[in-house]
Amino acid sequence: MSPRARNAVLWLVMLVALGLGALVRYDRLVQQSRASSQLTLGGVARELATEKQTFDVVLSRLGAGPGAFGLLSEPQKTLLASLAALGDYAALDRQPQLTLAQLEAGLAELAARRGPVQEPAEPRPVRTEP
């Protein structure tokens, strides 16, 4: 093989290697951007690991708002706080989990917040022209 052909082959191999490296890097950047756009409880705990009081405020407010989705019992909040203290962020992302007993208690609490159900008013009869 002539030196010129050998140089061409080396340049081609080098360009292919650089192209593959660029594709791998691009894939990692896409995965990182996807992961950073998802807000999870574990991610919040990881960010607030040095600010325990702030994370405690976040835990106390979970399910407390007027339009909140879901409720957390005190034992669940205690579990979340202990997982955050241990630094088990993957376990935090799998919480809270719901059992049938917890569902029953949550529905009872939501019903208590709502108050008694009022019966709908009787519809007035529709008048017809004679």
Side-chain angles (χ1 to χ4, degrees), residues 51-61 81:
E51 301 175 27
K52 185 181 178 330
Q53 290 176 335
T54 306
F55 187 70
D56 290 342
V57 170
V58 170
L59 281 181
S60 69
R61 298 301 302 160

Side-chain angles (χ1 to χ4, degrees), residues 71 104-117:
L71 299 168
E104 181 182 13
L107 289 175
E109 186 170 334
L110 284 175
R113 283 186 187 179
R114 188 172 115 191
V117 177

Side-chain angles (χ1 to χ4, degrees), residues 1 5 19 29 31 39 50 60 70-71 73 80 98 120 122 126 129:
M1 184 185 295
L29 287 174
Q31 288 175 359
L39 181 64
T50 58
S60 69
L71 299 168
S73 64
L80 294 176
L98 184 66
E122 293 276 332
V126 178
E129 294 293 323

Side-chain angles (χ1 to χ4, degrees), residues 18-29:
L18 283 173
L20 286 174
L23 286 175
V24 168
R25 179 67 181 143
Y26 175 75
D27 184 53
R28 286 184 184 165
L29 287 174

